[in-house]
Amino acid sequence: MVLDDLGSSLRGTLDELRGKSRISEEDVDGIVKEIQRSLIQADVDIELVRGLSDSIKQRALEEEPPAGTSLRDWVLRIVYEELVDLLGESTEIPLEEQTVLLAGLYGSGKTTTAGKIAWWFSKKGLRPAIIQTDTDRPGAYDQAKQLAESAEVDFYGDPDSDDPVKIAEEGLLETADADVQIVDTAGRDALNQELIDQIERIDAQADPDRNLLVIDAAMGQSAKEQAQEFEETIGIDGVIVTKVDGTAKGGGALAAVNETDSTIAFLGTGETVKDIERFESSSFVSRLLGMGDLKQLTERVERAMEEAQEEDEDWDPEDMMEGQFTLKDLRKQMEAMNRMGPLDQVMDMIPGLGGSIQDQLPDDAMDVTEERMRDFEVIMDSMTDEEMENPRIVGAQRTRRIARGSGKPEDRIRELLQQHKMMERTLKQFQGMGDADMERMMKQMQGGGGGPGGPGGGMGGGGNPFGD
Ligand SMILES: Nc1nc2c(ncn2[C@@H]2O[C@H](COP(=O)(O)OP(=O)(O)O)[C@@H](O)[C@H]2O)c(=O)[nH]1
Ligand SMILES: [Mg+2]
C-alpha cells in the first residue's frame, strides 16, 4: 500500500522513546529523518517532505505533552496530525444530481474508475450513467459498456463515432434521466496538445460540476507536471488515486494533490467496480501508521454480509446470533471474508493488528491463512448436510471419510472443527452481551490499549492518543 514502509519504520523509531520522559533534539532528529526517508522513498515531492518534517520537528520540540500522555503517543499524535493536514480533507462529493468528468493519462484507470464511482453512487441510492467519449482506444466502448453492466448502471457510447464532443453532447441528452452523469474521456501516452484540446472541448460541452483527475499510484514525480497541466486546462476539483492495492509508492499522487490545490476523493483498490473507497485522510493515515481503521472495516463487513444474504435468502445472520452456530454459518462467514478482500488488507484495518502483527509475521503467513481457508471450503464440500448442521457428530470415522473425499489431511479437518468450536464459544459470549457492553468493547478496541490479541501493543499501546 501507499507509503507502506512508513508505519513500520516509524514504529521502530518511536519505540526508542519508550520509558523516556523528555524528548531531546537528537530524538526528534532521528524520528524526522525516518519520516523523510520513507516519504522520499515513496516519491513524495522533496518540498513537501521538507515542509512536513519542519513542522513535526518544531512542534515536537516546542509543545509540551499533555499530562498523562506518554512521550511516544504524543509524538505519534503530532506525526498523525501533520500527515492528516498534508493530505487534507477528502474532496466533498455531495449526494445530488451532478455531472462528473474524469480526466487523466492513458492507462491511469479512468474507465475502470467510471464504473467504480457509478457503482458507488448507485449504492448511495442515486441513479448513475456512464458516458464513454473515448474514440481513440479500440475496445474502450466495450470496456465501459461491460463495466456499466457489472455496476448495473445506465450507459451511453457510440462505437461508430469519432467525435468525442458530439458523443458527450448526445450522451448527456440520452441519459438525462440519470442523477449522476459520469463522462469518461480518452487519454494519451503522454500529455499532448491534442488531448488537451479535446478534453477542453468536452469540458465546455458537458459543463461538469466536478472534474476529477485519475492518477495511478505508480506514477512518480511526473504526476506533478500532469496535474498542473490538467489544472490549467479544465481545473481539477479532486484526485482519484488508483491501484493503491499494488506495490506502488503513491508519492506522485500526493504531489498531484498539492499541485491542483485539491484533495483526494477516492482510492481505487482493485479491478472490479466494487474496489473503491472514499478517501478519508484520518483513516488513511491511521492505516498508514498501523493504527487500524475500524470504520472502513465495519463498512466492508456490512457490505459482505449483505451480499452473502442476497445470494442465499434462507440464510439469515440474525438466526446465527440467536441460536445455533453451524458449519454452514462458518462457511458463510468465510465467504464474507473472501468478499472483503485479501486478508492482509483486512488485517491492516484492525486496530492493534495492522502493521504490528504483520511486521512480526513471515511474509508468507498470510498466504498460509488463505490457503487454510480454501482447504476448509473443499473439506466442507465433502461433508453431508447433517454434518454441516451438527458438526459434533463428526468423529474419527467420519473424519477419515471426509479426508478421503476432500483429499485433505485429517489434521486439517480437525482444525476446521476446532475453528468452528472456537467461534461458537465466542458467539455465545456475544449473546450474553447487551448493546452497552458491545459499545464498550468497541471503544476498548479502538483505544488499542493492548486489546485482546494485540500482540506487543501496536501503535496504540498505552491508551488512545487520538480519541475524537
Ligand atoms: N489493481 C488495480 N488495477 C486497476 C485499478 N484501476 C484500474 N486498474 C487496471 O488498470 C488498467 C487500465 O485501466 P483503464 O480503466 O482501462 O484505464 P484508462 O486508460 O485510464 O481508462 C486496467 O487493466 C484496469 O483493470 C485499481 O485500482 N487496481
Ligand atoms: Mg479508458
Side-chain angles (χ1 to χ4, degrees):
M1 218 242 289
V2 188
L3 303 183
D4 216 358
D5 200 32
L6 183 59
S8 53
S9 65
L10 195 60
R11 247 190 312 278
T13 317
L14 286 174
D15 274 342
E16 287 166 25
L17 289 179
R18 261 190 217 283
K20 287 195 183 179
S21 58
R22 286 213 68 85
I23 193 164
S24 68
E25 189 147 358
E26 211 185 343
D27 293 329
V28 176
D29 280 339
I31 292 161
V32 166
K33 232 182 234 136
E34 205 48 57
I35 296 169
Q36 286 179 334
R37 196 186 58 80
S38 305
L39 292 175
I40 288 169
Q41 259 183 11
D43 268 343
V44 179
D45 188 57
I46 190 83
E47 288 300 318
L48 278 181
V49 174
R50 204 168 290 146
L52 181 72
S53 46
D54 281 353
S55 29
I56 292 173
K57 187 167 173 177
Q58 194 180 353
R59 288 188 56 188
L61 285 174
E62 285 175 8
E63 291 174 20
E64 282 293 322
T69 313
S70 79
L71 199 54
R72 185 175 176 279
D73 285 348
W74 173 67
V75 174
L76 182 58
R77 179 168 187 125
I78 293 177
V79 174
Y80 168 84
E81 285 178 351
E82 292 297 322
L83 278 171
V84 169
D85 198 51
L86 174 79
L87 286 165
E89 293 285 308
S90 174
T91 315
E92 204 193 330
I93 306 284
L95 296 177
E96 59 189 30
E97 286 194 11
Q98 59 193 292
T99 304
V100 178
L101 179 82
L102 295 179
L105 294 189
Y106 179 82
S108 58
K110 291 178 300 299
T111 305
T112 314
T113 300
K116 288 177 181 180
I117 50 180
W119 183 81
W120 184 84
F121 274 116
S122 79
K123 284 285 150 185
K124 300 280 175 196
L126 288 160
R127 179 173 166 187
I130 298 172
I131 299 159
Q132 172 62 289
T133 70
D134 184 351
T135 55
D136 293 314
R137 188 175 174 187
Y141 171 87
D142 289 331
Q143 184 197 9
K145 189 162 185 276
Q146 205 178 2
L147 283 159
E149 270 162 26
S150 30
E152 297 177 38
V153 300
D154 298 346
F155 172 74
Y156 181 86
D158 183 354
D160 300 322
S161 167
D162 59 359
D163 185 349
V165 182
K166 195 132 189 281
I167 298 179
E169 185 186 2
E170 284 169 3
L172 288 167
L173 285 174
E174 286 289 323
T175 63
D177 283 349
D179 301 318
V180 183
Q181 296 175 300
I182 300 157
V183 183
D184 185 20
T185 62
R188 294 288 191 285
D189 283 334
L191 199 51
N192 64 17
Q193 200 50 46
E194 206 189 327
L195 169 64
I196 287 298
D197 288 347
Q198 188 188 90
I199 201 158
E200 208 164 17
R201 283 187 294 131
I202 297 174
D203 182 52
Q205 176 62 250
D207 190 22
D209 299 287
R210 237 165 294 288
N211 292 333
L212 300 179
L213 177 65
V214 180
I215 293 258
D216 183 334
M219 186 175 275
Q221 299 287 350
S222 65
K224 187 172 165 175
E225 197 189 322
Q226 315 285 5
Q228 202 174 24
E229 191 76 52
F230 280 112
E231 168 73 1
E232 277 168 18
T233 321
I234 55 170
I236 295 298
D237 303 297
V239 173
I240 298 173
V241 188
T242 63
K243 308 181 196 179
V244 298
D245 52 315
T247 52
K249 300 184 271 185
L254 292 192
V257 167
N258 203 48
E259 208 58 40
T260 56
D261 210 7
S262 68
T263 51
I264 302 175
F266 292 100
L267 301 176
T269 59
E271 294 191 51
T272 83
V273 294
K274 297 178 184 180
D275 298 320
I276 180 168
E277 280 174 19
R278 190 83 163 90
F279 174 77
E280 232 179 289
S281 56
S282 53
S283 63
F284 184 73
V285 174
S286 304
R287 232 146 85 185
L288 210 65
L289 298 179
M291 297 184 304
D293 180 2
L294 269 184
K295 203 169 154 210
Q296 277 289 348
L297 184 67
T298 319
E299 279 173 15
R300 277 211 208 188
V301 172
E302 277 171 8
R303 207 173 74 205
M305 290 300 239
E306 265 172 32
E307 282 170 17
Q309 210 174 342
E310 270 167 29
E311 267 172 31
D312 183 354
E313 289 181 357
D314 292 337
W315 182 74
D316 183 357
E318 294 287 331
D319 286 349
M320 183 177 82
M321 294 306 285
E322 279 160 18
Q324 256 193 334
F325 178 72
T326 69
L327 274 176
K328 286 185 177 167
D329 298 319
L330 179 68
R331 167 172 240 164
K332 282 292 165 200
Q333 287 206 332
M334 278 172 41
E335 281 165 12
M337 285 281 283
N338 284 338
R339 281 201 187 79
M340 290 197 306
L343 261 184
D344 55 347
Q345 270 186 29
V346 176
M347 303 268 283
D348 257 350
M349 296 186 211
I350 304 174
L353 276 190
S356 59
I357 194 168
Q358 284 175 42
D359 292 346
Q360 290 163 17
L361 288 172
D363 275 350
D364 55 0
M366 287 297 168
D367 295 338
V368 174
T369 314
E370 275 172 28
E371 188 189 307
R372 226 168 63 124
M373 300 246 291
R374 273 195 299 271
D375 280 359
F376 286 174
E377 293 263 2
V378 177
I379 290 168
M380 287 190 277
D381 281 337
S382 291
M383 292 173 76
T384 64
D385 237 26
E386 194 192 3
E387 288 161 352
M388 289 292 282
E389 291 284 356
N390 186 11
R392 250 164 256 293
I393 62 172
V394 181
Q397 208 175 350
R398 283 177 191 257
T399 303
R400 256 197 309 281
R401 191 210 79 234
I402 297 166
R404 262 200 314 276
S406 63
K408 300 290 169 199
E410 290 182 26
D411 272 351
R412 200 56 129 208
I413 295 152
R414 282 188 280 272
E415 259 174 56
L416 169 64
L417 296 172
Q418 204 55 42
Q419 179 86 24
H420 165 259
K421 252 196 210 132
M422 201 184 75
M423 293 184 69
E424 190 179 38
R425 244 198 324 265
T426 313
L427 265 175
K428 287 244 162 67
Q429 279 165 8
F430 275 130
Q431 280 160 21
M433 280 167 105
D435 282 350
D437 293 318
M438 277 286 230
E439 220 162 86
R440 197 169 327 123
M441 196 186 69
M442 288 298 272
K443 281 227 175 76
Q444 225 169 20
M445 275 172 72
Q446 264 164 331
M459 276 318 224
N464 178 13
F466 313 108
D468 49 6

